[in-house]
Amino acid sequence: MWEFLLEFLRMSAFGNLEVGNLIMIAIGLLFIYLAITKDYEPLLLIPIGFGMLVGNIPFAEGMGIGFREPNTVLSILYDGVNRGWFPPLIFLGIGAMTDFSALLSNPKLLFLGAAAQAGIFITLLGALALNFTAPEAGAIGIIGGADGPTAIFLASKLAPHLLGAIAVSAYSYMALVPVIQPPIMRLLTTKDERLIRMKPPRAVSKKEKVLFPILGFLATCFLVPGALNLLGMLFFGNLLKESGVTERLAVTARTSLIDIVTIILGFSVGVSTEARSFLTKESVLIFALGALAFSIATASGVLFAKMMNLFLKGDNRINPLIGAAGVSAVPDSARVVHVVGQEYDKSNFLLMHAMGPNVAGVIGSAIAAGVLWSVLRSMQ
Amino acid sequence: MWEFLLEFLRMSAFGNLEVGNLIMIAIGLLFIYLAITKDYEPLLLIPIGFGMLVGNIPFAEGMGIGFREPNTVLSILYDGVNRGWFPPLIFLGIGAMTDFSALLSNPKLLFLGAAAQAGIFITLLGALALNFTAPEAGAIGIIGGADGPTAIFLASKLAPHLLGAIAVSAYSYMALVPVIQPPIMRLLTTKDERLIRMKPPRAVSKKEKVLFPILGFLATCFLVPGALNLLGMLFFGNLLKESGVTERLAVTARTSLIDIVTIILGFSVGVSTEARSFLTKESVLIFALGALAFSIATASGVLFAKMMNLFLKGDNRINPLIGAAGVSAVPDSARVVHVVGQEYDKSNFLLMHAMGPNVAGVIGSAIAAGVLWSVLRSMQ
Amino acid sequence: MWEFLLEFLRMSAFGNLEVGNLIMIAIGLLFIYLAITKDYEPLLLIPIGFGMLVGNIPFAEGMGIGFREPNTVLSILYDGVNRGWFPPLIFLGIGAMTDFSALLSNPKLLFLGAAAQAGIFITLLGALALNFTAPEAGAIGIIGGADGPTAIFLASKLAPHLLGAIAVSAYSYMALVPVIQPPIMRLLTTKDERLIRMKPPRAVSKKEKVLFPILGFLATCFLVPGALNLLGMLFFGNLLKESGVTERLAVTARTSLIDIVTIILGFSVGVSTEARSFLTKESVLIFALGALAFSIATASGVLFAKMMNLFLKGDNRINPLIGAAGVSAVPDSARVVHVVGQEYDKSNFLLMHAMGPNVAGVIGSAIAAGVLWSVLRSMQ
Amino acid sequence: MRPGLFTLLLFLPTALLAQEPASRGHNPGGMVESLIFGLELTLLGMAIVFVGLLAVYLFMIVLRRTIVRQQTVHAAGATPRTTPPELTAEVVHAIALALYMDLRTFAEDDSDEITIHKITRPFSPWMDSSKTALIARNQMFGKRQ
Amino acid sequence: MRPGLFTLLLFLPTALLAQEPASRGHNPGGMVESLIFGLELTLLGMAIVFVGLLAVYLFMIVLRRTIVRQQTVHAAGATPRTTPPELTAEVVHAIALALYMDLRTFAEDDSDEITIHKITRPFSPWMDSSKTALIARNQMFGKRQ
Amino acid sequence: MRPGLFTLLLFLPTALLAQEPASRGHNPGGMVESLIFGLELTLLGMAIVFVGLLAVYLFMIVLRRTIVRQQTVHAAGATPRTTPPELTAEVVHAIALALYMDLRTFAEDDSDEITIHKITRPFSPWMDSSKTALIARNQMFGKRQ
Ligand code: NA
Ligand code: NA
Ligand code: NA
């Protein structure tokens, strides 16, 4: 009977199997394992991981299954990634669940979110040095924004052939934030700096919270219309949340809507990692550049905080650890900051302060994506 | 530093800025302000208002952002408005949340909802007199239906170039119902009429409620197949609600589904008000005609109620104030009726009676839209 | 006045009326009646029944309403049926609500779900004998799978012109499972067999439940990549449910998402039963073959259980009634098994045991659909 | 609602549809012709709206009578269910309360409370809890002071 | 499940796929040829369904054994966890109750209550509350009697 | 943040856009030219990111001052509302508790309970309850033993 089974297997889909598929399936299983046992970004790693299994079942070409063939179910589900309309809907939901109070109570933390975007541009330089074209380099650089939907959006516009590698790289490093960031944070700060206590956040009025999404939208999108799709939706969602009169819309945006899009987006991204197009030299380089991007982004945030301290006094000083939260990866990097801070002073609660640069980092990388899109889209 | 900033601003998107964009942004801000502070139709004015901000960021043509360019995110979101499939889904949700008991307990109130549709056709005549083409006139007339989704649906079919103006006009006047209707109601009624007490509604059995959507659908759509998309969905949603065995579908239809569609529909309609195509002589005329439409619709409803009273006796008589609720604008015009009624007699509760013509007005204007579509679609 | 009314009716849509439309409307009303009063599959029969009313309103061709005309609202809603992407989303939701514990605690019940698929293939033979083409015969045979989404998916791929008849036939017989199955079950079993008590299910650990969707997916889809769309989504949904870290996604998949798709899918299927294309000789044959399919599937399941008992001993023996649950029709056929079992022994609880073959039948018919698709799609 | 008017209306749609529509839409010829068309459409449209709702009305009347008759048959002997219940004082009070609650104004409460409790539980699809706990517990990054 | 039959089945798909498919689908040649094809497909299909579920079965057996072994290793010394728990009387009663509740009929309760309380809070996306309150409070439309 | 650097940056975009982009993207000419472009883009990009967030910052400052002034006007005489509330001990404890709950680990509890209670109420869109009840009650299939 085992003989028969083996023979049968040879004739079936096992016939098309390549080693690459097995490797990708193993990676998919690893993603699922990490999500379940380590709780690493499970809402994304599980859909992506299972999508990897689905995309690497070695079916024959032309069977009407693959996500690259027209009118297949997988291609229809992939449309929101392919044409880039899933990320703005996710930003709508994120806006409807984000509380900008931390930023409003201490606006200067915005600049930490700006500084951390240096990771994007230095990675772009690295990608250019490795002979990627300019649009590809821009799409790779955005991994340093540490923001999944932004990375998928820009990659779908500038380098759709690299989308799978860029998205998987971005989410992998976002999941690894607690591993990557602490050593860099410790290396670049003195013990005294890590012990800095920041003054408690001031009260933020309802009016400020309502006006913030409107003013924030006008301020950023007048400057960078290319960031309109992402920032427009982010601030729109936040207005739904803060207006006080559209609660039911905000609830739907941050529950059913974002969940439906997250399920299909994650699954589709996973499906798009078919071994033959994914296991390439480019993907390896993209993963290496992604690690660089996260490290530089973290370092830039911390160093900029130290620089700001040169101009600040007393309890206005910033604990430079929170600079690391400027990379986005909401809210993981803010938590990492908090936990590292508590290693040195159990009564120092940095989480609330770190949320400021954290959400500023989301805005910052969306602006950077808008700049890259505007400049690089004509070069494809 | 201010010099630098100004120079930078000149180079950025500020360079494409036209006065029209600023006007539209001001209108968008006004919508948001009215929604938040006056609670005027916030579930629609906030998405539309924010959409106006987004649509009037003066990005350059060909950047792959605008809702008229193919395959942009905004064009994808706009598809449901453009091809008219959002309004039927909204009607599905409205059906799943509408209780037709008020109508069932006093069916003659249906005719108030019919009479108020005179506003549609007289406005159509006005539009023809102002040299609009027949399909345009039909799309403008439907503003008098005081029903947002119906107006968007018909405008997308008959006059897509005027859709923004028609939708914004319809929603503006629906928000202004408490300002527009009371003077007309007072003008056309005597104090004695306003004091009429209607007899309490009779009990409505479950069977009647279950059979109503089925019979109502067959009665109206056999006559006017052109109303199939809207009325089919309205009655389908109501059957889901009343059948007693599809509660989970009705709940989803009146929560997640209608919310998701409302968010994207409102936002897209706002985006479509780009200044260059919106700030035209036509839009001004459409707003003027819209005011006419609402006034005539209100007057027709009230006068028809007075006419019906000529044939009715005793406690069967109708308080003519509730004729004003025949314009739809559910449930605002019913509330206006109630509040105006209470000014004259604190113990006269008209709200429940006014809900009858109110929902009848929705059916009436959908029928009128079906007639206009059938007759005018071949003339485009 | 009655004269006038009749004359008016003659001129309106009543002019296009054919007897067929009235028959279909009567069938639609029957579906709604059965759903409400008998609680037969109401979540599907109500949308399908109301869709039948909508699809058989006799509007004129070219009015821009029909589901076969391009860019109409009905054609847009029908897209998910037409291109087959609704059924996988429904499978996602089913996966997120299915508990495979019954199967895990007694894996040999899987084979009952396999045996019942004989109904599919024997019906296919019958359809070939009645001169249907091979792809049509495959699509008709899948009715024997007793699984609505699978039938719609395969019919949309192999025989889109028969989709309405196949879907309506499949759902009709699924609703009639309590009428069709018991006589066959009683005919093929002895009283002693019906009294067999099965040993209580063993405890199933969380790890088994988490690993099952992953291993089940790999095992089935490596063999039959053609089943990828349905089984991929089924097991993906189940992983979301069992992983323990993606609860919010599982909740959305089994509530809003599946509800929205169910509403539109059922409605569209109903709309597609327009009399002129539905009331044909083929549809009658399909209904006859469907009855055959359900009967053979039930018999195969029961007989296979009896055959397995030849090799099993003591309390490992299977009560052959549960073989009937292998047809799928989740969870109706399992309940039928339970109720029939209780007629003979009030203290014999078969429901939990019958859930095993029940969910196995879903997997089995998805595999069969994959085989049929792979072999027959090139013959269209 | 005299038959005469309605009989007239019956012929309007035929008349309308018999004409060449394209000649009216885009080349309106003259304002007068356009307005006549508009008037015809108005009469047709209002007639159909009324007839449509009249059909619904008739169905509703038939429906009510059928159900009342059924109920009377079913409830023969029992207390008749067809008389509408009167609005008692309690009901009126309940309505008044419901209306009061429904019409209550939108209160802008400009909160003075700090918003820390919101920040500490930012629920997000990117949420991840045990990861940081892991750091705290396992001390995986040496260099502890 | 004799190997002989299955070995035969292994050659069917190859045989099937080797032939020109178009000649079968649309020009069935004859009923006999068509039915032979159907029989081949039936055998192939049922075989694959069984093999597919057999694969799942084997995985499940392996899975269970692995987990049981792990648990035995972990729980060495403790009470063994591998024996399935017996159905106690309470459990049976709980099931009976659950079934009873699950199978209860759909009760058509034709309510006699007036539906006013529903009408007074019509929740809708077009809802708007403070507007009318505004009218009541501010008396913006003069002419009060 | 010296004006000199920023003034420079102002000219970069113009310079960039003036060049033929295609010659850079696909025919990078040389690595050096490509890297120079990358540097220009880096400076431009970082400048815009900072200016964008600076604009938000300025709006926020203006916003806060406006609101504070309004509040001061409104609350003239009353206790001033502009001083930020201090973190009291209770607040700190509340935060600590919230953090503890937030950071609690994901507990893998491998349940020993039988799962029967789940099986008895399989909620599904294909659910149907009274049908089987019907069988039980009506005995529609004769042959009862
Ligand atoms: Na970022
Ligand atoms: Na109306
Ligand atoms: Na099945």
Side-chain angles (χ1 to χ4, degrees), chain D residues 86-98:
Chain D
E86 292 302 313
L87 272 184
T88 62
E90 291 93 84
V91 173
V92 170
H93 279 101
I95 294 169
L97 179 64

Side-chain angles (χ1 to χ4, degrees), chain B residues 1 4-5 7-8 11 248, chain F residues 6 10 13 48 51 54 123:
Chain B
M1 181 166 147
F4 143 71
L5 197 67
E7 206 175 325
F8 184 88
M11 286 172 47
R248 64 174 289 168
Chain F
F6 280 101
L10 290 180
I48 294 181
V51 172
L54 176 66
F123 188 64

Side-chain angles (χ1 to χ4, degrees), chain B residues 113 116-117 120 142 144-147 150 325-329 357-358 360-366:
Chain B
Q117 310 315 319
I120 293 175
I142 204 68
D147 194 89
T150 303
V327 300
S328 333
N358 215 199
V362 175
I363 301 174
S365 43

Side-chain angles (χ1 to χ4, degrees), chain C residues 48-245:
Chain C
I48 292 177
F50 200 90
M52 283 176 164
L53 306 186
V54 171
N56 284 284
I57 294 291
F59 43 80
E61 288 285 309
M63 272 190 73
I65 296 178
F67 80 100
R68 281 190 220 282
E69 296 179 50
N71 277 323
T72 63
V73 172
L74 294 182
S75 75
I76 292 166
L77 298 181
Y78 191 63
D79 184 70
V81 174
N82 191 32
R83 294 202 288 164
W85 55 277
F86 276 172
L89 292 180
I90 288 196
F91 262 64
L92 178 75
I94 292 177
M97 62 174 72
T98 299
D99 188 333
F100 283 104
S101 305
L103 207 53
L104 283 162
S105 81
N106 195 357
K108 65 177 172 292
L109 300 181
L110 266 172
F111 297 109
L112 298 177
Q117 309 315 319
I120 293 175
F121 292 100
I122 292 175
T123 308
L124 177 148
L125 287 173
L128 287 173
L130 292 170
N131 251 324
F132 283 99
T133 69
E136 288 172 349
I140 294 168
I142 204 68
I143 298 172
D147 193 90
T150 302
I152 290 170
F153 183 76
L154 194 67
S156 76
K157 300 293 178 190
L158 292 183
H161 54 294
L162 302 179
L163 195 150
I166 290 170
V168 170
S169 174
Y171 282 119
S172 302
Y173 290 118
M174 284 166 65
L176 293 174
V177 149
V179 179
I180 297 172
Q181 290 200 316
I184 299 169
M185 291 156 70
R186 293 201 186 88
L187 186 71
L188 298 177
T189 50
T190 66
K191 196 189 148 190
D192 279 353
E193 285 172 332
R194 285 174 228 142
L195 291 172
I196 291 176
R197 288 210 180 200
M198 296 173 67
K199 66 176 176 190
R202 77 175 173 90
V204 174
S205 74
K206 189 172 177 312
K207 271 185 198 136
E208 280 179 279
K209 286 169 141 198
V210 172
L211 286 170
F212 175 72
I214 297 168
L215 296 177
F217 170 73
L218 292 176
T220 52
C221 287
F222 257 74
L223 274 167
V224 193
L228 196 73
N229 287 316
L230 296 174
L231 288 180
M233 284 305 195
L234 180 78
F235 288 122
F236 177 36
N238 194 244
L239 181 63
L240 291 180
K241 170 177 183 289
E242 301 295 356
S243 78
V245 290

Side-chain angles (χ1 to χ4, degrees), chain C residues 113 116-117 120 142 144-147 150 325-329 357-358 360-366:
Chain C
Q117 309 315 319
I120 293 175
I142 204 68
D147 193 90
T150 302
V327 301
S328 330
N358 216 198
V362 176
I363 302 174
S365 42

Side-chain angles (χ1 to χ4, degrees), chain A residues 31-78:
Chain A
F31 272 43
I32 295 170
Y33 174 79
L34 291 175
I36 293 177
T37 61
K38 305 283 181 201
D39 209 18
Y40 280 178
E41 301 275 1
L43 297 175
L44 281 153
L45 291 200
I46 288 209
I48 292 177
F50 200 90
M52 283 177 164
L53 305 186
V54 171
N56 284 284
I57 295 290
F59 44 78
E61 289 284 310
M63 272 189 73
I65 298 177
F67 79 101
R68 281 188 221 281
E69 297 178 50
N71 276 324
T72 63
V73 172
L74 294 181
S75 74
I76 292 166
L77 298 180
Y78 191 64

Side-chain angles (χ1 to χ4, degrees), chain C residues 1-2 4-5 7-9 11 248, chain D residues 6 10-11 13-14 48 51 54 123:
Chain C
M1 182 168 146
W2 286 105
F4 142 71
L5 197 68
E7 206 177 322
F8 183 89
L9 297 180
M11 286 172 46
R248 65 175 288 168
Chain D
F6 280 101
L10 290 180
F11 293 95
T14 4
I48 294 181
V51 172
L54 175 66
F123 189 62

